[in-house]
Amino acid sequence: MERGQRREQLRAAIALTIAFNLFTLLVFTLSGYFRGPESFRESLTIGLPMMIVDGFISFQLYFVLRGTAELQAVLRWSLVTVAVVIVALLQAVWDTELRVWADTLTSDYRQAFIRSTTINTYNSGMLAALLAFQAAYAALKANQQQLDLARQREREAQMLALRFQLNPHFLFNTLNAISSLVVSGRPRDADTMIDRLSSFLRGSLAADPDRLVTVEEEFEMLENYLEIESVRFGDRLAPSITLPDDLGDAQVPPFLLQPLVENAVKYAVAPSRTPVRVGIAARERGGRLELEVSDTGQGGTDASSGTGVGLANVRERLRLSFGSHSEMAVHDGQGFRVVLTMPLVRRPASSQQHSLAA
């Protein structure tokens, strides 16, 4: 256990012990009041010094509980029980001697000692139970914090792994296309594609996979990607990007739509002999953000299966980013269309000002 956690538990145990003994003192004083003036004077005379010493003695139960925390349950609670009895006996000696000193003993010493032992055993047992409950709650809270931290790190690792699946996949396809352009005697197109690939990869490598980007930034990246693919497919690729001005600052995970656009190019544009429109659109519906990637190709089961890097990657990243507050709908018929729905989260004004200043 860290030193800071130990100090926090110690402070909590001290506060709990003080509160418990103050409550006991209050009950002791009130019982004296209702028994009559003489009993009330007795409780006022010996109540405070009795509870101060009793509280100090009973607080030792905290150290017993802490020192036996690693032991097996049977052995631990046996030692705690013994400690409770010893504490009760010490308190009984003090309480009885205090009554003798104050000349308030109403019975013989032996009877007073037995009575005090019985009461203090009950009180010490109750305090030990409260201290054990407090320690268990603190341990549960610490474990929950560690679990939350572990889940956060796991989520970040998953996001990073999913993001790193994109770059090699896209890079392989693009390099293959560049090689085809060189072989087919189109060096200018190959040079143009290399320049655009360099620009695309600079933005890709600079992006933080666990940081949200604006829809405007995401669409600019997709436009760059489609420019790369347009060198390869020419007029067969007809891109269409629709972004309302009031949604440019909405935030999404980076490269969320790129696998969907890549799927459209791979399954709709590549096998087609005629122009295929690849549409990318953003809209607000019911206070939520909808992002759509569609194509006018022939469609097909390969694109809609969602078992490869494309749809499965997007579905998982959407889940990790927004949980149950997001959904992905796939429509395969006349063309292919994927609609992502997620909370509409806008970039804070301070971040926008910072970006403008940069």
Side-chain angles (χ1 to χ4, degrees), residues 46-233:
I46 67 172
L48 185 58
M50 180 186 293
M51 293 306 163
I52 290 177
V53 176
D54 285 354
F56 174 78
I57 297 174
S58 63
F59 182 67
Q60 308 313 307
L61 292 171
Y62 164 75
F63 298 102
V64 174
L65 287 165
R66 193 178 74 177
T68 59
E70 304 299 326
L71 300 179
Q72 293 183 353
V74 174
L75 178 59
R76 184 192 186 195
W77 294 111
S78 297
L79 292 175
V80 171
T81 302
V82 172
V84 166
V85 174
I86 292 174
V87 165
L89 290 172
L90 292 174
Q91 290 175 331
V93 170
W94 163 249
D95 295 352
T96 308
E97 291 293 337
L98 185 62
R99 290 177 183 274
V100 171
W101 171 81
D103 196 21
T104 58
L105 204 61
T106 57
S107 59
D108 63 62
Y109 190 93
R110 180 173 175 274
Q111 289 179 341
F113 179 77
I114 294 174
R115 178 175 178 275
S116 181
T117 300
T118 303
I119 294 175
N120 282 302
T121 300
Y122 175 80
N123 288 344
S124 298
M126 287 291 294
L127 180 60
L130 290 174
L131 290 172
F133 176 80
Q134 180 269 332
Y137 175 77
L140 178 63
K141 186 177 178 181
N143 290 338
Q144 185 62 48
Q145 291 175 346
Q146 292 179 355
L147 180 61
D148 292 342
L149 180 60
R151 285 175 176 170
Q152 175 64 21
R153 289 177 177 172
E154 179 187 12
R155 174 184 172 278
E156 291 173 355
Q158 287 179 318
M159 291 287 284
L160 194 62
L162 289 170
R163 166 64 188 286
F164 283 164
Q165 287 178 355
L166 302 180
N167 292 339
H169 190 245
F170 163 71
L171 184 61
F172 173 79
N173 289 341
T174 305
L175 292 176
N176 200 25
I178 292 173
S179 176
S180 299
L181 291 174
V182 173
V183 171
S184 62
R186 298 167 58 187
R188 284 189 179 178
D189 290 340
D191 287 341
T192 301
M193 201 167 187
I194 290 172
D195 290 339
R196 290 175 178 171
L197 175 63
S198 298
S199 176
F200 179 87
L201 289 180
R202 275 196 299 270
S204 170
L205 295 174
D208 182 354
D210 200 42
R211 179 185 66 87
L212 298 179
V213 300
T214 63
V215 175
E216 183 178 9
E217 292 170 336
E218 179 77 357
F219 278 28
E220 285 178 358
M221 182 277 301
L222 294 173
E223 186 177 9
N224 196 0
Y225 168 78
L226 289 173
E227 286 179 357
I228 294 173
E229 296 291 23
S230 67
V231 176
R232 177 183 171 193
F233 295 106

Side-chain angles (χ1 to χ4, degrees), residues 1-11 62:
M1 185 184 299
E2 295 181 1
R3 184 176 300 178
Q5 292 178 340
R6 284 187 179 275
R7 284 199 298 264
E8 183 179 350
Q9 284 195 13
L10 179 60
R11 287 195 294 266
Y62 164 75

